[in-house]
Amino acid sequence: MTASVAPVSPAAPASHPLAAPLARTAVTLMFTVNGLLIGGWGGSLPSLRDKLAVSDGQIALMLFLAGIAGITSMQVGGRLSDVVGARRIALVALPVLVAAVVTLGLADSYPVAVVGAALLGLGNGAMDVAMNAIGVQVEQARRRPVMSSFHAFFSIGNLLGAAAVLGLAAAFGLAGGAIVTPLLLTLAAVAVVVLVVLVRVAPTAAPVEHRDAEGGRIRIPRAAYVLGVMALAFGLSEGTAVDWSSIHITDVARVDPTTGAVGLVAVSGFMVVIRLFGDRLVTRFGRRAIVRFGGVSAALGYLAVTLVSSLPLLVAGWALVGLGVGMIAPQVYAVAGHLGGGRVLAVVVTFGYAAFLAGPAVIGFLVRHVGIHHAMAVPAVLCAGIVALAATMPREDSDISRRRETDPLA
């Protein structure tokens, strides 16, 4: 068979352009600007609701349409990344994402905002898969893990985008709907500058063939769907942590909402920290061990928040959740990319993205029926399942090529 996406191995040429520091910097910029725009969008939603005078149900519909557009775009973008190269898809998707943010910033009616949300889903879905695909090729060329650091800078960008709401409010005395336009247009301008830089420095990612020695098309490997199930589990767990941690602490510890926000701070902060150190840990212990440890950490964190009620212990529990889920996604996505390029990434990222979007709603249903304390047992069980499924992952990236050579559908 044609092994077009080779794993990291000692045979990889160190002089490959994708191994250069500039290539890593360019991909880091992609992840950062993507996180910045998505964080700004998320942080602006309450203000956008005020500006347009719409209901929570209408905001939910916008989020749903953005999610559907994103899932569709992931499938198309993943396959096109293999055909024409991930660089091109990322550099086409980013202007779509910028256009979406501008549309949302200038929207003066709900229909215009819906168009902006759909554009945001289309741009983000394709860019998400493409930047992960090119990140995997940089990792292959460098012959050592780098995916955790890329995801760390996405998280940093996300935090900066959300924090820009507070920054503009403090600097210019803006509040409510008045902050939406200057916020989103400022972030869009930053993204345009980054886009100009990326056009010049982003590395070229090779197209990926999926044909065997006889020219027949190779089907998506079965292992992709196992990775997809893992993505479902960590997607729901991460989405629950992002959307429910602050509410959980507010209700269980009986504190004011401002204090309760420390839950999301703990989750996000520990996700960034572990991702910054994740590549070193993968080098030392391997992806399988890191995913197992992440699953154990997140499961223990969720178990803790179902059993305790004091503020310090709840914060510690949510910190463990952030530590755990922060480890898992970069490694699962890296294995998917090594296994089969953009089309396998599209499958796995879609599972995770769908669970991230739908999971909090599922948890919300459980909260109404069993209470917020007991509802957190569900992601605890899912994270424990990740520990078990991690046994199917290769210990080393070099094991992936051996699997493909012995069984193309492995």
Side-chain angles (χ1 to χ4, degrees):
M1 61 174 288
T2 302
S4 304
V5 182
V8 179
S9 69
S15 60
H16 194 288
L18 287 170
L22 186 60
R24 180 176 181 176
T25 300
V27 179
T28 299
L29 272 176
M30 289 182 187
F31 276 81
T32 305
V33 73
N34 182 267
L36 183 73
L37 294 177
I38 298 304
W41 148 250
S44 71
L45 277 175
S47 300
L48 184 64
R49 181 185 60 183
D50 290 349
K51 176 184 177 182
L52 300 179
V54 296
S55 67
D56 288 339
Q58 288 172 297
I59 292 293
L61 178 60
M62 284 176 57
L63 293 172
F64 175 76
L65 291 174
I68 294 298
I71 289 171
T72 303
S73 182
M74 284 175 183
Q75 300 306 310
V76 177
R79 285 158 175 77
L80 286 178
S81 291
D82 287 347
V83 174
V84 302
R87 178 188 190 274
R88 292 183 180 180
I89 301 305
L91 293 183
V92 168
L94 181 53
V96 176
L97 195 52
V98 171
V101 171
V102 171
T103 301
L104 289 163
L106 297 177
D108 57 0
S109 66
Y110 182 67
V112 175
V114 168
V115 172
L119 281 174
L120 184 126
L122 289 173
N124 185 54
M127 187 173 182
D128 195 341
V129 174
M131 69 188 187
N132 274 283
I134 195 170
V136 168
Q137 291 197 26
V138 168
E139 185 172 83
Q140 291 162 355
R142 291 177 65 87
R143 299 181 293 182
R144 57 183 180 271
V146 292
M147 287 295 284
S148 282
S149 68
F150 291 149
H151 283 256
F153 277 92
F154 169 82
S155 297
I156 290 170
N158 209 259
L159 287 172
L160 290 175
V165 177
L166 300 177
L168 282 176
F172 299 101
L174 300 174
I179 202 170
V180 174
T181 300
L183 169 70
L184 295 183
L185 292 185
T186 298
L187 295 182
V190 172
V192 168
V193 173
V194 173
L195 176 62
V196 172
V197 174
L198 287 174
V199 168
R200 296 182 62 85
V201 304
T204 299
V208 179
E209 289 289 340
H210 299 287
R211 299 189 180 278
D212 57 26
E214 290 73 38
R217 187 162 182 80
I218 299 170
R219 288 182 291 170
I220 292 176
R222 290 187 293 263
Y225 298 101
V226 177
L227 294 171
V229 172
M230 296 175 71
L232 273 174
F234 73 67
L236 184 144
S237 301
E238 184 176 341
T240 299
V242 169
D243 288 357
W244 283 99
S245 56
S246 296
I247 297 174
H248 180 270
I249 285 184
T250 300
D251 291 354
V252 174
R254 300 186 184 281
V255 296
D256 64 273
T258 303
T259 302
V262 73
L264 181 55
V265 172
V267 170
S268 302
F270 275 80
M271 283 181 67
V272 170
V273 169
I274 196 58
R275 286 176 172 178
L276 287 172
F277 288 97
D279 294 325
R280 298 178 189 177
L281 295 173
V282 171
T283 300
R284 180 164 184 174
F285 300 107
R287 297 195 197 278
R288 182 190 295 184
I290 293 305
V291 170
R292 277 178 169 164
F293 185 81
V296 169
S297 175
L300 289 175
Y302 269 115
L303 182 62
V305 301
T306 65
L307 298 175
V308 302
S309 57
S310 71
L311 179 60
L313 291 177
L314 286 171
V315 172
W318 284 114
L320 273 177
V321 171
L323 192 73
V325 297
M327 292 184 190
I328 300 169
Q331 312 318 324
V332 172
Y333 291 161
V335 170
H338 286 301
L339 186 65
R343 65 174 187 162
V344 171
L345 266 169
V347 170
V348 177
V349 173
T350 296
F351 274 93
Y353 188 66
F356 184 89
L357 293 174
V362 173
I363 296 299
F365 173 83
L366 292 174
V367 168
R368 287 193 296 272
H369 289 81
V370 303
I372 195 167
H373 222 36
H374 296 129
M376 298 304 149
V378 172
V381 172
L382 291 175
C383 290
I386 291 174
V387 178
L389 289 174
T392 66
M393 297 181 71
R395 285 190 176 87
E396 307 291 341
D397 291 331
S398 57
D399 293 340
I400 301 174
S401 60
R402 288 193 288 271
R403 287 190 184 188
R404 289 202 309 258
E405 289 166 2
T406 57
D407 179 7
L409 300 181

